[in-house]
Amino acid sequence: MAVEGGAKCVKYLLFFFNFIFWLCGLALIVLGILVYIAFRNTAVIKGSFGPAIFIIVVGVIIFFIAFLGCCGACNENHCMVTTFAVFLSLIIICEIAVAIVGYVFRGKLSAVLDQNFKDAIAGYNTSEDLKKAIDDLQKELKCCGANSSDDWVNFNASRNSVPDSCCKNETRNCGIGAIHDGNKIYINGCQSTVEKLLNRSMLWIAVGALVIAFIQITGIVLACILTRAIRSGYEVM
């Protein structure tokens, strides 16, 4: 028995909100890819790809759950709509947990970056992966070292040289003896730039999460109303 009256309006509203929710899932996938590309430049930081991968996974889950909600609303399927509401509730709980962890981590970001940069610089001459990551980072962000070029004081025995990736015009051995030569190399460190990049990415994630959370709560309310209407229809039959 098809729902009528106000319940029918709720049915179409639920379909509409699920379509918006489906678009949000798609947007999260795109955002995750963009964040992944942005974080690729900070690969020197351990686990820097984690947030991007998490966003993509959440986007995929939302994408399919929204599809389930759309199908349930169109077919007036009690089981599908109920399952949709349950999954949506679980996602909101997970999002709250992640938001708490993110807020706690935000205060420790500077210390984490500082330690990871120290480890990366210390391992520059012994690890090809770290060397490539730091060189790519310094060239991309036009910076040198963590806080300044002085961080490379132990780069070699002369204690006055930096990697060639610090040079404004990179050529072979251009960093030799140039640790304080502002005309030849970038003096400013990379850490503050990376921190700003990560904070900006986290801000966009937070804004996106708030928008999606509003849609999720609306979807849950509409799903509960439609589920009740469908059940009432079955009882009448």
Side-chain angles (χ1 to χ4, degrees), residues 26-43 45 47-57 105 137 194 196-209:
L26 188 61
L28 274 180
I29 295 172
V30 174
L31 177 63
I33 294 172
L34 292 176
V35 172
Y36 179 89
I37 293 172
F39 280 16
R40 184 178 59 187
N41 296 325
T42 61
I45 304 168
S48 60
F49 293 129
I53 294 172
F54 175 78
I55 295 169
I56 293 172
V57 170
F105 176 75
L137 182 68
V194 171
K196 289 177 183 176
L197 174 66
L198 295 181
N199 280 325
R200 186 163 60 247
S201 297
M202 291 171 70
L203 176 62
W204 279 109
I205 292 170
V207 171

Side-chain angles (χ1 to χ4, degrees), residues 62-153:
I62 288 176
F63 185 88
F64 284 107
I65 289 178
F67 180 75
L68 175 68
C70 284
C71 291
C74 286
N75 298 321
E76 298 179 16
N77 187 300
H78 177 272
C79 182
M80 290 180 72
V81 175
T82 302
T83 302
F84 163 77
V86 170
F87 279 147
L88 214 52
S89 300
L90 291 175
I91 288 179
I92 290 179
I93 293 172
C94 291
E95 286 174 346
I96 292 172
V98 170
I100 294 172
V101 172
Y103 180 79
V104 172
F105 176 75
R106 187 174 65 89
K108 300 179 180 179
L109 180 59
S110 182
V112 171
L113 284 175
D114 185 63
Q115 186 58 51
N116 277 276
F117 266 111
K118 285 180 180 177
D119 293 343
I121 290 173
Y124 181 87
N125 291 320
T126 57
S127 170
E128 282 299 319
D129 289 338
L130 283 176
K131 183 178 184 300
K132 184 179 186 309
I134 293 175
D135 284 342
D136 289 345
L137 182 68
Q138 292 186 149
K139 285 186 284 188
E140 181 70 23
L141 300 182
K142 295 179 171 55
C143 56
C144 187
N147 298 301
S148 71
S149 57
D150 286 334
D151 293 322
W152 290 108
V153 68

